[in-house]
Coordinates of all heavy atoms in Angstrom, one line a residue:
K1 N -9.6 -14.7 6.6 CA -8.7 -14.8 5.5 C -7.5 -13.8 5.7 O -7.8 -12.6 6.1 CB -9.4 -14.5 4.2 CG -8.7 -14.9 2.9 CD -9.6 -14.7 1.7 CE -8.8 -14.2 0.6 NZ -9.7 -13.9 -0.6
M2 N -6.3 -14.2 5.5 CA -5.2 -13.3 5.8 C -5.3 -12.0 5.0 O -5.0 -10.9 5.6 CB -3.9 -14.0 5.4 CG -2.6 -13.2 5.5 SD -1.8 -13.5 7.1 CE -1.1 -15.1 6.8
R3 N -5.6 -12.0 3.7 CA -5.7 -10.7 3.0 C -6.7 -9.7 3.6 O -6.4 -8.6 3.7 CB -6.1 -11.1 1.5 CG -6.2 -9.8 0.7 CD -6.6 -10.2 -0.8 NE -6.6 -9.0 -1.6 CZ -5.6 -8.5 -2.2 NH1 -4.4 -9.0 -2.0 NH2 -5.7 -7.4 -2.9
D4 N -7.8 -10.2 4.1 CA -8.8 -9.3 4.7 C -8.2 -8.7 6.0 O -8.4 -7.5 6.3 CB -10.1 -10.1 5.0 CG -10.8 -10.6 3.8 OD1 -10.6 -9.9 2.7 OD2 -11.5 -11.5 3.9
K5 N -7.5 -9.5 6.8 CA -6.8 -9.0 8.0 C -5.8 -7.9 7.7 O -5.6 -6.9 8.4 CB -6.2 -10.1 8.8 CG -7.2 -11.1 9.4 CD -6.5 -12.2 10.1 CE -7.5 -13.2 10.6 NZ -6.8 -14.4 11.3
I6 N -5.0 -8.2 6.6 CA -4.0 -7.2 6.1 C -4.7 -5.9 5.7 O -4.2 -4.8 6.1 CB -3.1 -7.8 5.0 CG1 -2.3 -9.0 5.5 CG2 -2.3 -6.7 4.4 CD1 -1.6 -9.8 4.4
I7 N -5.7 -6.0 5.0 CA -6.5 -4.8 4.5 C -7.0 -4.0 5.8 O -6.9 -2.8 5.8 CB -7.6 -5.1 3.5 CG1 -6.9 -5.6 2.2 CG2 -8.5 -3.9 3.4 CD1 -8.0 -6.2 1.2
E8 N -7.6 -4.7 6.7 CA -8.1 -4.1 7.9 C -7.0 -3.3 8.6 O -7.1 -2.2 9.1 CB -8.8 -5.0 8.8 CG -10.1 -5.5 8.3 CD -11.1 -4.3 8.0 OE1 -11.3 -3.4 8.8 OE2 -11.6 -4.3 6.8
S9 N -5.8 -4.0 8.7 CA -4.7 -3.4 9.4 C -4.2 -2.1 8.6 O -3.8 -1.1 9.2 CB -3.5 -4.4 9.6 OG -2.6 -3.9 10.5
L10 N -4.1 -2.2 7.3 CA -3.7 -1.1 6.5 C -4.6 0.1 6.6 O -4.3 1.2 6.5 CB -3.6 -1.5 5.0 CG -2.4 -2.4 4.7 CD1 -2.6 -2.9 3.3 CD2 -1.1 -1.7 4.9
K11 N -5.9 -0.2 6.9 CA -6.9 0.9 7.1 C -6.6 1.7 8.4 O -7.3 2.7 8.7 CB -8.3 0.4 7.1 CG -8.7 0.0 5.7 CD -10.2 -0.5 5.6 CE -10.6 -0.7 4.2 NZ -12.0 -1.1 4.1
E12 N -5.7 1.2 9.2 CA -5.3 1.9 10.4 C -4.1 2.9 10.2 O -3.6 3.5 11.1 CB -5.0 1.0 11.6 CG -6.1 0.0 12.0 CD -7.3 0.8 12.5 OE1 -7.1 1.8 13.3 OE2 -8.5 0.6 12.0
V13 N -3.5 2.9 9.0 CA -2.4 3.7 8.6 C -2.9 4.9 7.9 O -3.5 4.7 6.8 CB -1.3 2.9 7.8 CG1 -0.2 3.8 7.4 CG2 -0.8 1.7 8.6
Y14 N -2.6 6.1 8.4 CA -3.1 7.3 7.8 C -2.1 8.1 7.1 O -1.0 8.3 7.6 CB -3.9 8.1 8.8 CG -5.2 7.5 9.2 CD1 -5.3 6.5 10.1 CD2 -6.4 7.9 8.6 CE1 -6.5 5.9 10.4 CE2 -7.6 7.4 8.9 CZ -7.6 6.3 9.8 OH -8.8 5.8 10.1
D15 N -2.5 8.7 6.0 CA -1.6 9.7 5.3 C -1.7 11.0 6.2 O -2.8 11.5 6.5 CB -2.2 10.1 3.9 CG -1.4 11.1 3.2 OD1 -1.6 12.3 3.6 OD2 -0.6 10.8 2.3
P16 N -0.5 11.5 6.7 CA -0.5 12.6 7.6 C -1.1 13.9 7.1 O -1.6 14.7 7.9 CB 1.0 12.7 8.0 CG 1.7 12.0 6.9 CD 0.8 11.0 6.3
D17 N -1.0 14.1 5.8 CA -1.5 15.4 5.3 C -3.1 15.3 5.1 O -3.7 16.3 5.4 CB -0.9 15.7 3.9 CG 0.6 16.0 4.1 OD1 0.9 16.6 5.1 OD2 1.3 15.8 3.1
L18 N -3.6 14.2 4.6 CA -5.0 14.1 4.3 C -5.9 13.5 5.4 O -7.1 13.6 5.4 CB -5.2 13.4 3.0 CG -4.6 14.0 1.8 CD1 -4.7 13.1 0.6 CD2 -5.2 15.3 1.5
S19 N -5.2 12.9 6.4 CA -5.9 12.2 7.5 C -6.9 11.1 7.0 O -8.0 11.0 7.4 CB -6.5 13.2 8.4 OG -5.6 14.0 9.0
I20 N -6.5 10.4 5.9 CA -7.3 9.3 5.3 C -6.4 8.1 5.3 O -5.2 8.2 5.0 CB -7.8 9.7 3.9 CG1 -8.7 11.0 4.0 CG2 -8.5 8.6 3.2 CD1 -9.0 11.6 2.6
N21 N -7.0 6.9 5.5 CA -6.1 5.8 5.6 C -5.6 5.4 4.1 O -6.2 5.7 3.1 CB -6.8 4.6 6.2 CG -7.9 3.9 5.3 OD1 -7.5 3.3 4.3 ND2 -9.1 4.1 5.7
V22 N -4.4 4.8 4.1 CA -3.7 4.6 2.9 C -4.4 3.6 1.9 O -4.3 3.7 0.7 CB -2.2 4.1 3.1 CG1 -1.4 5.1 3.8 CG2 -2.2 2.7 3.9
Y23 N -5.2 2.7 2.5 CA -5.9 1.8 1.7 C -7.1 2.4 0.9 O -7.1 2.3 -0.3 CB -6.4 0.6 2.5 CG -7.0 -0.5 1.6 CD1 -6.1 -1.4 1.0 CD2 -8.3 -0.6 1.4 CE1 -6.6 -2.4 0.2 CE2 -8.8 -1.6 0.5 CZ -7.9 -2.5 -0.1 OH -8.4 -3.5 -0.9
D24 N -7.9 3.2 1.6 CA -9.1 3.8 1.0 C -8.6 5.0 0.1 O -9.3 5.3 -0.9 CB -10.0 4.4 2.0 CG -10.8 3.2 2.7 OD1 -10.9 2.1 2.1 OD2 -11.4 3.4 3.8
L25 N -7.4 5.6 0.4 CA -6.9 6.6 -0.4 C -6.4 6.1 -1.7 O -6.2 6.8 -2.7 CB -5.7 7.3 0.4 CG -5.2 8.6 -0.1 CD1 -6.4 9.7 -0.2 CD2 -4.2 9.2 0.9
G26 N -6.2 4.8 -1.8 CA -5.7 4.1 -3.1 C -4.3 4.1 -3.2 O -3.8 3.9 -4.3
L27 N -3.5 4.2 -2.1 CA -2.1 4.2 -2.2 C -1.5 2.7 -2.3 O -0.4 2.5 -2.7 CB -1.5 4.9 -1.0 CG -1.8 6.4 -0.9 CD1 -1.1 6.9 0.4 CD2 -1.5 7.1 -2.1
I28 N -2.3 1.7 -1.9 CA -1.9 0.4 -2.0 C -2.2 -0.3 -3.3 O -3.4 -0.4 -3.6 CB -2.5 -0.5 -0.8 CG1 -2.3 0.2 0.6 CG2 -2.0 -1.9 -0.9 CD1 -0.8 0.3 1.0
Y29 N -1.2 -0.6 -4.1 CA -1.5 -1.1 -5.5 C -1.6 -2.7 -5.4 O -2.4 -3.2 -6.1 CB -0.3 -0.7 -6.4 CG -0.4 0.7 -6.8 CD1 0.6 1.3 -7.6 CD2 -1.4 1.6 -6.5 CE1 0.6 2.6 -8.0 CE2 -1.4 2.9 -6.9 CZ -0.4 3.4 -7.7 OH -0.4 4.7 -8.1
E30 N -0.7 -3.3 -4.6 CA -0.7 -4.8 -4.6 C -0.4 -5.3 -3.2 O 0.4 -4.7 -2.5 CB 0.3 -5.4 -5.6 CG 0.0 -5.1 -7.0 CD 1.1 -5.8 -7.9 OE1 1.7 -6.9 -7.5 OE2 1.4 -5.2 -9.0
I31 N -1.1 -6.4 -2.8 CA -0.8 -7.1 -1.6 C -0.5 -8.5 -2.1 O -1.4 -9.2 -2.6 CB -2.0 -7.1 -0.7 CG1 -2.3 -5.7 -0.3 CG2 -1.7 -8.0 0.5 CD1 -3.7 -5.6 0.5
N32 N 0.7 -8.9 -2.0 CA 1.1 -10.3 -2.4 C 1.6 -11.1 -1.3 O 2.6 -10.8 -0.6 CB 2.2 -10.2 -3.5 CG 1.8 -9.4 -4.7 OD1 0.7 -9.7 -5.3 ND2 2.5 -8.4 -5.1
E33 N 0.8 -12.2 -1.0 CA 1.2 -13.1 0.1 C 2.2 -14.2 -0.6 O 1.8 -14.8 -1.6 CB -0.1 -13.8 0.6 CG -1.0 -12.9 1.3 CD -2.3 -13.5 1.7 OE1 -2.3 -14.6 2.3 OE2 -3.4 -13.0 1.4
E34 N 3.3 -14.3 0.0 CA 4.4 -15.2 -0.5 C 4.6 -16.3 0.4 O 3.9 -16.4 1.5 CB 5.7 -14.4 -0.7 CG 5.6 -13.1 -1.5 CD 5.3 -13.3 -3.0 OE1 5.5 -14.4 -3.4 OE2 4.8 -12.4 -3.6
A35 N 5.6 -17.2 0.2 CA 5.9 -18.3 1.0 C 6.4 -17.8 2.4 O 6.8 -16.7 2.5 CB 6.9 -19.2 0.3
N36 N 6.4 -18.7 3.3 CA 6.9 -18.4 4.7 C 6.2 -17.2 5.3 O 6.8 -16.5 6.1 CB 8.4 -18.2 4.6 CG 9.1 -19.4 4.1 OD1 8.8 -20.6 4.4 ND2 10.2 -19.2 3.3
N37 N 4.9 -17.0 5.0 CA 4.2 -15.9 5.6 C 4.8 -14.6 5.4 O 4.7 -13.7 6.3 CB 3.9 -16.2 7.1 CG 3.0 -17.5 7.3 OD1 2.1 -17.7 6.5 ND2 3.3 -18.2 8.3
H38 N 5.4 -14.4 4.3 CA 6.0 -13.1 3.9 C 5.0 -12.4 3.0 O 4.3 -13.0 2.2 CB 7.3 -13.3 3.1 CG 7.9 -12.0 2.6 ND1 8.5 -11.1 3.4 CD2 7.8 -11.5 1.3 CE1 8.9 -10.1 2.6 NE2 8.4 -10.3 1.4
V39 N 4.9 -11.0 3.2 CA 3.9 -10.3 2.4 C 4.7 -9.2 1.7 O 5.5 -8.4 2.3 CB 2.8 -9.7 3.2 CG1 1.9 -8.7 2.4 CG2 2.0 -10.7 3.9
D40 N 4.5 -9.0 0.3 CA 5.1 -7.9 -0.4 C 4.0 -6.9 -0.7 O 2.9 -7.3 -1.1 CB 5.7 -8.4 -1.7 CG 7.0 -9.1 -1.6 OD1 7.8 -8.7 -0.7 OD2 7.3 -10.0 -2.4
I41 N 4.2 -5.7 -0.4 CA 3.3 -4.6 -0.7 C 3.9 -3.7 -1.7 O 5.0 -3.3 -1.6 CB 3.0 -3.7 0.6 CG1 2.4 -4.6 1.7 CG2 2.1 -2.5 0.3 CD1 1.0 -5.0 1.6
I42 N 3.1 -3.4 -2.7 CA 3.5 -2.4 -3.7 C 2.6 -1.2 -3.6 O 1.3 -1.4 -3.6 CB 3.5 -2.9 -5.2 CG1 4.5 -4.1 -5.3 CG2 3.9 -1.8 -6.2 CD1 4.5 -4.8 -6.6
M43 N 3.1 -0.1 -3.3 CA 2.3 1.1 -3.0 C 2.9 2.3 -3.6 O 4.1 2.3 -4.1 CB 2.1 1.3 -1.5 CG 3.4 1.7 -0.7 SD 3.1 2.0 1.0 CE 2.2 3.5 0.9
T44 N 2.2 3.4 -3.6 CA 2.6 4.7 -4.0 C 2.4 5.7 -2.9 O 1.9 5.4 -1.8 CB 1.9 5.1 -5.3 OG1 2.6 6.2 -5.9 CG2 0.4 5.5 -5.1
L45 N 2.7 7.0 -3.2 CA 2.4 8.1 -2.3 C 1.7 9.1 -3.1 O 1.7 9.1 -4.3 CB 3.8 8.6 -1.8 CG 4.6 7.6 -0.9 CD1 6.0 8.2 -0.7 CD2 4.0 7.3 0.4
T46 N 1.1 10.1 -2.4 CA 0.3 11.1 -3.1 C 1.3 12.0 -3.9 O 0.9 12.6 -4.9 CB -0.5 12.0 -2.1 OG1 0.4 12.5 -1.1 CG2 -1.6 11.1 -1.5
S47 N 2.6 12.0 -3.5 CA 3.6 12.8 -4.2 C 4.9 12.1 -4.0 O 5.3 11.6 -3.0 CB 3.6 14.2 -3.6 OG 4.9 14.9 -3.9
A48 N 5.7 12.2 -5.1 CA 7.1 11.6 -5.1 C 7.9 12.4 -4.1 O 9.0 11.9 -3.6 CB 7.7 11.6 -6.5
F49 N 7.5 13.6 -3.7 CA 8.3 14.4 -2.8 C 7.7 14.4 -1.4 O 8.0 15.4 -0.6 CB 8.4 15.8 -3.4 CG 8.9 15.8 -4.8 CD1 8.1 16.0 -5.9 CD2 10.3 15.6 -5.0 CE1 8.6 16.0 -7.2 CE2 10.8 15.6 -6.3 CZ 9.9 15.7 -7.4
C50 N 6.9 13.5 -1.1 CA 6.2 13.4 0.2 C 7.2 13.4 1.3 O 8.1 12.5 1.4 CB 5.4 12.1 0.3 SG 4.6 11.9 1.9
P51 N 7.2 14.4 2.2 CA 8.2 14.5 3.3 C 8.0 13.4 4.3 O 9.0 13.0 5.1 CB 8.0 15.8 3.9 CG 6.6 16.2 3.5 CD 6.3 15.5 2.2
A52 N 6.8 12.7 4.4 CA 6.6 11.7 5.4 C 6.8 10.3 4.8 O 6.3 9.3 5.4 CB 5.2 11.9 5.9
A53 N 7.4 10.2 3.6 CA 7.5 8.9 2.9 C 8.1 7.8 3.8 O 7.5 6.7 3.9 CB 8.3 9.1 1.6
D54 N 9.2 8.0 4.5 CA 9.8 7.0 5.3 C 8.9 6.6 6.4 O 8.8 5.4 6.7 CB 11.1 7.5 5.9 CG 12.2 7.7 4.8 OD1 12.0 7.1 3.7 OD2 13.2 8.4 5.0
D55 N 8.2 7.5 7.0 CA 7.3 7.2 8.1 C 6.1 6.4 7.6 O 5.7 5.4 8.3 CB 6.7 8.5 8.8 CG 7.8 9.2 9.5 OD1 8.8 8.6 10.0 OD2 7.7 10.5 9.7
I56 N 5.5 6.7 6.5 CA 4.4 6.0 5.9 C 4.8 4.6 5.6 O 4.1 3.6 5.9 CB 3.8 6.7 4.7 CG1 3.2 8.0 5.1 CG2 2.7 5.8 4.0 CD1 2.8 8.9 4.0
V57 N 5.9 4.4 4.9 CA 6.4 3.0 4.6 C 6.7 2.2 5.9 O 6.3 1.1 6.0 CB 7.7 3.1 3.7 CG1 8.4 1.8 3.6 CG2 7.4 3.7 2.4
A58 N 7.3 2.9 6.9 CA 7.5 2.1 8.2 C 6.2 1.8 8.8 O 6.0 0.7 9.3 CB 8.3 3.0 9.1
D59 N 5.2 2.7 8.8 CA 3.9 2.4 9.4 C 3.2 1.3 8.6 O 2.5 0.4 9.3 CB 3.0 3.6 9.4 CG 3.5 4.7 10.4 OD1 4.3 4.4 11.2 OD2 3.0 5.8 10.3
V60 N 3.3 1.2 7.3 CA 2.6 0.2 6.5 C 3.3 -1.2 6.8 O 2.6 -2.2 7.0 CB 2.7 0.5 5.0 CG1 2.4 -0.7 4.1 CG2 1.8 1.6 4.6
T61 N 4.6 -1.2 6.9 CA 5.4 -2.4 7.2 C 5.0 -2.9 8.5 O 4.6 -4.1 8.7 CB 6.9 -2.1 7.2 OG1 7.3 -1.6 5.9 CG2 7.7 -3.4 7.5
R62 N 4.9 -2.0 9.5 CA 4.5 -2.4 10.9 C 3.1 -3.0 10.9 O 2.8 -4.0 11.6 CB 4.7 -1.2 11.8 CG 4.7 -1.6 13.3 CD 5.0 -0.4 14.2 NE 6.2 0.4 13.8 CZ 6.1 1.6 13.2 NH1 4.9 2.2 13.1 NH2 7.2 2.2 12.9
A63 N 2.2 -2.3 10.2 CA 0.8 -2.7 10.2 C 0.6 -4.1 9.7 O -0.2 -4.9 10.2 CB -0.1 -1.7 9.5
V64 N 1.3 -4.4 8.6 CA 1.2 -5.7 8.0 C 1.9 -6.8 8.9 O 1.3 -7.8 9.1 CB 1.8 -5.7 6.5 CG1 1.8 -7.1 6.0 CG2 1.0 -4.8 5.6
E65 N 3.0 -6.5 9.4 CA 3.7 -7.4 10.3 C 3.0 -7.7 11.6 O 3.2 -8.7 12.2 CB 5.2 -7.0 10.5 CG 6.0 -7.1 9.3 CD 7.5 -6.7 9.5 OE1 7.8 -6.0 10.5 OE2 8.3 -7.0 8.6
D66 N 2.1 -6.8 12.0 CA 1.3 -7.0 13.2 C 0.1 -7.9 13.0 O -0.5 -8.4 13.9 CB 0.7 -5.6 13.7 CG 1.8 -4.8 14.4 OD1 2.9 -5.3 14.7 OD2 1.5 -3.6 14.7
V67 N -0.2 -8.3 11.7 CA -1.3 -9.2 11.5 C -0.8 -10.6 11.9 O 0.3 -11.1 11.5 CB -1.6 -9.1 10.0 CG1 -2.6 -10.3 9.6 CG2 -2.2 -7.8 9.6
D68 N -1.7 -11.3 12.6 CA -1.4 -12.7 13.0 C -1.2 -13.5 11.7 O -2.0 -13.5 10.8 CB -2.6 -13.3 13.8 CG -2.6 -12.8 15.2 OD1 -1.5 -12.3 15.7 OD2 -3.6 -13.0 15.9
G69 N -0.1 -14.3 11.7 CA 0.2 -15.1 10.6 C 1.2 -14.5 9.7 O 1.8 -15.3 8.8
V70 N 1.5 -13.3 9.8 CA 2.5 -12.6 8.9 C 3.8 -12.6 9.6 O 3.9 -12.1 10.8 CB 2.1 -11.2 8.5 CG1 3.2 -10.5 7.7 CG2 0.8 -11.2 7.6
N71 N 4.9 -13.1 9.0 CA 6.2 -13.0 9.6 C 6.9 -11.8 9.2 O 7.5 -11.1 10.1 CB 7.0 -14.3 9.2 CG 6.5 -15.5 9.9 OD1 5.8 -15.5 11.0 ND2 6.7 -16.6 9.3
T72 N 7.0 -11.5 7.9 CA 7.7 -10.4 7.4 C 7.0 -9.6 6.3 O 6.1 -10.2 5.7 CB 9.1 -10.8 6.9 OG1 8.9 -11.8 5.9 CG2 10.0 -11.4 7.9
C73 N 7.4 -8.4 6.1 CA 6.7 -7.6 5.0 C 7.8 -6.7 4.4 O 8.6 -6.1 5.1 CB 5.6 -6.7 5.6 SG 4.9 -5.5 4.5
K74 N 7.7 -6.6 3.1 CA 8.6 -5.7 2.3 C 7.7 -4.8 1.6 O 6.8 -5.2 0.9 CB 9.5 -6.5 1.4 CG 10.4 -5.6 0.6 CD 11.3 -6.4 -0.3 CE 12.1 -5.5 -1.2 NZ 11.7 -5.7 -2.6
V75 N 7.9 -3.5 1.7 CA 7.2 -2.5 1.0 C 8.0 -1.9 -0.1 O 9.2 -1.5 0.1 CB 6.7 -1.3 1.9 CG1 6.0 -0.3 1.2 CG2 5.8 -1.9 3.0
E76 N 7.5 -1.9 -1.3 CA 8.1 -1.3 -2.5 C 7.3 -0.1 -3.0 O 6.1 -0.2 -3.1 CB 8.2 -2.3 -3.6 CG 8.9 -1.8 -4.9 CD 8.9 -2.8 -6.0 OE1 8.8 -4.0 -5.7 OE2 8.9 -2.4 -7.2
L77 N 8.0 1.0 -3.1 CA 7.3 2.2 -3.6 C 7.4 2.3 -5.1 O 8.5 1.9 -5.7 CB 8.0 3.5 -3.0 CG 7.7 3.9 -1.6 CD1 8.4 5.1 -1.2 CD2 6.2 4.1 -1.4
T78 N 6.3 2.7 -5.7 CA 6.3 2.9 -7.2 C 5.5 4.2 -7.5 O 4.7 4.5 -6.7 CB 5.7 1.7 -7.9 OG1 5.9 1.9 -9.4 CG2 4.3 1.5 -7.6
F79 N 5.8 4.8 -8.6 CA 5.0 5.9 -9.0 C 4.5 5.7 -10.4 O 4.1 6.6 -11.1 CB 5.9 7.2 -8.9 CG 6.3 7.5 -7.5 CD1 7.5 7.1 -7.0 CD2 5.4 8.1 -6.6 CE1 7.9 7.3 -5.7 CE2 5.7 8.4 -5.3 CZ 7.0 8.0 -4.8
I80 N 4.4 4.4 -10.8 CA 3.8 4.0 -12.0 C 2.7 3.0 -11.7 O 3.0 1.9 -11.2 CB 4.8 3.4 -13.0 CG1 5.9 4.5 -13.2 CG2 4.2 3.0 -14.3 CD1 7.1 3.9 -13.9
P81 N 1.4 3.3 -11.9 CA 0.9 4.5 -12.5 C 1.0 5.6 -11.4 O 1.0 5.3 -10.2 CB -0.5 4.2 -12.9 CG -0.9 3.1 -11.9 CD 0.3 2.3 -11.7
A82 N 0.9 6.8 -11.9 CA 0.9 8.0 -11.0 C -0.4 8.0 -10.2 O -1.4 7.6 -10.7 CB 1.1 9.3 -11.7
F83 N -0.3 8.4 -8.9 CA -1.4 8.5 -8.1 C -2.4 9.6 -8.6 O -2.0 10.6 -9.1 CB -1.0 8.9 -6.6 CG -2.2 9.2 -5.7 CD1 -2.9 8.2 -5.2 CD2 -2.5 10.5 -5.5 CE1 -4.0 8.4 -4.4 CE2 -3.6 10.8 -4.6 CZ -4.3 9.7 -4.1
G84 N -3.7 9.3 -8.5 CA -4.7 10.3 -8.9 C -6.0 10.0 -8.2 O -6.1 8.9 -7.6
P85 N -6.9 10.9 -8.2 CA -8.2 10.8 -7.5 C -9.0 9.5 -7.9 O -9.7 9.0 -7.1 CB -9.0 12.0 -7.8 CG -8.1 12.9 -8.7 CD -6.8 12.2 -9.0
E86 N -8.8 9.0 -9.1 CA -9.5 7.8 -9.5 C -9.2 6.6 -8.7 O -9.9 5.6 -8.7 CB -9.3 7.6 -11.0 CG -7.9 7.1 -11.4 CD -6.9 8.3 -11.5 OE1 -7.2 9.5 -11.3 OE2 -5.7 8.0 -11.8
M87 N -8.1 6.6 -8.0 CA -7.6 5.5 -7.2 C -8.3 5.5 -5.8 O -8.3 4.5 -5.1 CB -6.1 5.5 -7.0 CG -5.4 5.3 -8.3 SD -3.7 5.7 -8.3 CE -3.2 5.3 -9.9
M88 N -8.9 6.6 -5.4 CA -9.5 6.7 -4.1 C -10.9 6.0 -4.1 O -11.5 5.9 -5.2 CB -9.8 8.2 -3.7 CG -8.6 9.0 -3.7 SD -9.1 10.7 -3.4 CE -7.5 11.6 -3.7
T89 N -11.4 5.5 -3.0 CA -12.7 5.0 -2.9 C -13.7 6.2 -3.2 O -13.4 7.4 -3.0 CB -13.0 4.4 -1.6 OG1 -13.0 5.4 -0.6 CG2 -12.1 3.3 -1.2
E90 N -14.9 5.8 -3.6 CA -15.9 6.9 -3.9 C -16.2 7.7 -2.6 O -16.3 8.9 -2.7 CB -17.2 6.2 -4.4 CG -18.3 7.2 -4.8 CD -19.5 6.6 -5.3 OE1 -19.5 5.4 -5.5 OE2 -20.5 7.3 -5.5
E91 N -16.2 7.0 -1.4 CA -16.4 7.7 -0.2 C -15.4 8.7 0.1 O -15.7 9.9 0.5 CB -16.5 6.7 0.9 CG -16.8 7.2 2.3 CD -16.9 6.2 3.3 OE1 -16.0 5.3 3.3 OE2 -17.8 6.2 4.2
V92 N -14.1 8.4 -0.2 CA -13.0 9.4 0.1 C -13.2 10.6 -0.9 O -13.0 11.7 -0.5 CB -11.6 8.7 -0.1 CG1 -10.5 9.7 -0.1 CG2 -11.5 7.7 1.1
R93 N -13.4 10.3 -2.2 CA -13.6 11.4 -3.2 C -14.7 12.3 -2.8 O -14.5 13.5 -2.8 CB -13.8 10.8 -4.6 CG -12.6 10.2 -5.2 CD -12.8 9.9 -6.7 NE -13.9 9.2 -7.1 CZ -14.0 7.9 -7.2 NH1 -12.9 7.2 -6.9 NH2 -15.1 7.2 -7.5
M94 N -15.8 11.7 -2.3 CA -16.9 12.6 -1.8 C -16.5 13.4 -0.6 O -16.8 14.6 -0.6 CB -18.1 11.7 -1.6 CG -18.8 11.1 -2.8 SD -20.1 10.0 -2.5 CE -21.3 11.1 -1.7
S95 N -15.8 12.8 0.3 CA -15.4 13.6 1.5 C -14.4 14.7 1.2 O -14.4 15.7 1.9 CB -14.8 12.6 2.6 OG -13.5 12.2 2.2
L96 N -13.7 14.5 0.1 CA -12.7 15.6 -0.3 C -13.3 16.6 -1.3 O -12.7 17.5 -1.8 CB -11.5 15.0 -0.9 CG -10.6 14.2 0.0 CD1 -9.5 13.4 -0.7 CD2 -10.0 15.0 1.1
G97 N -14.6 16.3 -1.7 CA -15.3 17.2 -2.6 C -14.8 17.0 -4.1 O -14.9 17.9 -4.9
I98 N -14.4 15.8 -4.4 CA -13.9 15.4 -5.7 C -15.1 14.6 -6.4 O -15.4 13.5 -5.9 CB -12.6 14.6 -5.7 CG1 -11.5 15.4 -5.1 CG2 -12.3 14.2 -7.1 CD1 -10.3 14.6 -4.8
W99 N -15.7 15.2 -7.4 CA -16.8 14.5 -8.1 C -16.4 13.9 -9.4 O -15.6 14.5 -10.1 CB -18.0 15.5 -8.2 CG -18.2 16.3 -7.0 CD1 -17.9 17.6 -6.8 CD2 -18.8 15.8 -5.8 NE1 -18.3 17.9 -5.5 CE2 -18.8 16.8 -4.9 CE3 -19.2 14.5 -5.4 CZ2 -19.3 16.7 -3.6 CZ3 -19.7 14.4 -4.0 CH2 -19.8 15.5 -3.2
D100 N -17.0 12.8 -9.7 CA -16.8 12.2 -11.0 C -17.3 13.1 -12.1 O -18.4 13.6 -11.9 CB -17.4 10.8 -11.1 CG -16.7 9.8 -10.2 OD1 -15.5 10.0 -10.0 OD2 -17.4 8.8 -9.8
E101 N -16.6 13.2 -13.2 CA -17.1 14.0 -14.3 C -18.2 13.3 -15.1 O -18.2 12.2 -15.3 CB -16.0 14.4 -15.3 CG -14.8 15.1 -14.6 CD -15.3 16.5 -14.1 OE1 -16.0 17.2 -14.8 OE2 -14.9 16.9 -13.0

């Protein structure tokens, strides 16, 4: 399935500060497969002031476009809702020492 391949590819893109992939970190909000094998990604960053924002967006775009069957990808950044630890996978929260209350 195309979505599964896209997710696997996104798991190869890492946040440079945390060294955790953007998917498990919870930065990917939406993956929308559109007509003509175009994919729209809606994502956030750990901070609106992230100095690596352009690089991360470029890496996400490239990762999605590298998936067989995807022709083009557009990444849209949003900060609503704001990023927080609840968006991370449980495994990531545990590795960072963040425990559920």
